[in-house]
Amino acid sequence: MSELPFAATTPVSVSRVGLKARDAESLAAYYRAVVGLQELSRADGAITLGAANRPLMVLEQDPSAKPDDPRSAGLFHTAFLLPSRADLGRWINHAATNRIGIEGASDHLVSEALYLTDPEGNGIEIYADRRPQDWKWNGDKIAMATERLNLPAVVASVPTGDAGWHGAPENTIVGHVHLRVGRPEDAEAWWHDEFGFDTVAKYGGQAVFLSSGHYHHHIGANAWHSAGAGRRDPSRSGLAWVEMRSDNVKAESTREDPWGTVIRTVPGKA
């Protein structure tokens, strides 16, 4: 059995992501078939999906919602962290067998990742981390890059005769959430003030990466397509909320970031 990824063991980590869905049934089917999530429960028009009884995503049905606007503040991607490189190799084989459309494949030095988009325009990352002891730090900043992923090497990590992909394995988590924002510096200040997050990397003035407990990032925030964006239009589909788990609180709370994105906090260990 795999261990819980390092990303979930820090003082604060991502727990779940909520999406407002125009067609929750179709979207749930996509996340089951493509990402390998399991349906865990249904209540009040919402479908909860997860891995091995760990809730990771909630789809909230709203057929009247307007489509998400990629130029507005909102979700850039939900990043599903698999427990091992071999799990990522299994998923790559699954994607190839089922002709799942991949939009990107990157080596970020700290992790290896593939990117796709769900039918309602929500970005998805499927990734596996390299060992934290192999990450390169320069003081309090981490070395990350976007290089070509060596797909054959990842696939080769799957043992010979392996049973293959059978859905998201136990200890799959949401490792990080990457947000679209109007000004990355405002996001940086907000996550620092509200959660005590450290800034671990910046890509010029266009993107910032923040984390708890020396992870490479729990939150990314970029203005690549959303520079100057104001508050979110609540009538649009897409990101409904992000839920963070914290060792540092004793009660649940809800707040909004500068763009009106709902950020929940729940107490407890991962």
Side-chain angles (χ1 to χ4, degrees):
M1 181 167 51
S2 63
E3 294 182 356
L4 196 63
F6 173 64
T9 67
T10 53
V12 182
S13 63
V14 183
S15 175
R16 302 184 299 166
V17 172
L19 300 180
K20 181 186 289 188
R22 303 175 78 202
D23 185 344
E25 288 289 350
S26 293
L27 212 54
Y30 176 89
Y31 280 92
R32 289 195 303 266
V34 173
V35 182
L37 301 184
Q38 304 160 352
E39 182 174 319
L40 301 182
S41 64
R42 293 180 178 231
D44 303 322
I47 303 171
T48 297
L49 305 170
N53 296 317
R54 179 186 297 273
L56 300 177
M57 176 167 277
V58 180
L59 305 177
E60 300 177 348
Q61 173 76 4
D62 186 353
S64 66
K66 297 182 291 187
D68 190 25
D69 177 2
R71 297 176 302 279
S72 70
L75 181 68
F76 191 67
H77 61 240
T78 302
F80 296 97
L81 174 56
L82 302 178
S84 73
R85 194 184 199 208
D87 289 318
L88 187 62
R90 293 181 185 100
W91 186 85
I92 292 169
N93 287 333
H94 159 71
T97 299
N98 293 280
R99 300 181 181 275
I100 294 167
I102 303 299
E103 296 166 5
S106 299
D107 185 332
H108 294 302
L109 306 183
V110 295
S111 62
E112 296 172 297
L114 294 101
Y115 297 90
L116 52 161
T117 303
D118 78 19
E120 296 197 6
N122 302 294
I124 298 168
E125 177 179 339
I126 309 287
Y127 77 114
D129 278 336
R130 287 198 165 91
R131 299 186 311 162
Q133 55 265 45
D134 294 332
W135 301 346
K136 301 292 189 285
W137 291 86
N138 181 17
D140 60 355
K141 300 298 185 284
I142 196 163
M144 292 196 294
T146 300
E147 301 176 351
R148 182 187 296 271
L149 180 62
N150 187 338
L151 284 165
V154 179
V155 170
S157 68
V158 180
T160 302
D162 186 79
W165 179 258
H166 289 282
E170 183 178 8
N171 291 330
T172 296
I173 63 169
V174 178
H176 67 267
V177 176
H178 198 144
L179 302 170
R180 306 187 308 247
V181 300
R183 278 170 46 95
E185 52 267 50
D186 292 344
E188 178 182 17
W190 190 85
W191 284 94
H192 175 80
D193 292 345
E194 295 291 333
F195 284 90
F197 274 17
D198 300 312
T199 301
V200 293
K202 289 185 179 183
Y203 289 178
Q206 291 296 300
V208 62
F209 300 88
L210 305 121
S211 78
S212 168
H214 233 51
Y215 187 53
H216 60 69
H217 68 292
H218 290 102
I219 294 292
N222 79 69
W224 292 325
H225 305 297
S226 55
R231 287 181 68 83
R232 289 173 47 75
D233 179 352
S235 68
R236 291 192 182 275
S237 65
L239 185 62
W241 43 265
V242 177
E243 184 180 87
M244 309 299 293
R245 178 213 54 81
S246 175
D247 292 347
N248 307 320
V249 301
K250 291 184 169 55
E252 296 185 13
S253 64
T254 300
R255 65 200 94 177
E256 292 184 354
D257 76 2
W259 299 274
T261 297
V262 174
I263 310 295
R264 300 176 177 175
T265 309
V266 296
K269 300 289 185 181

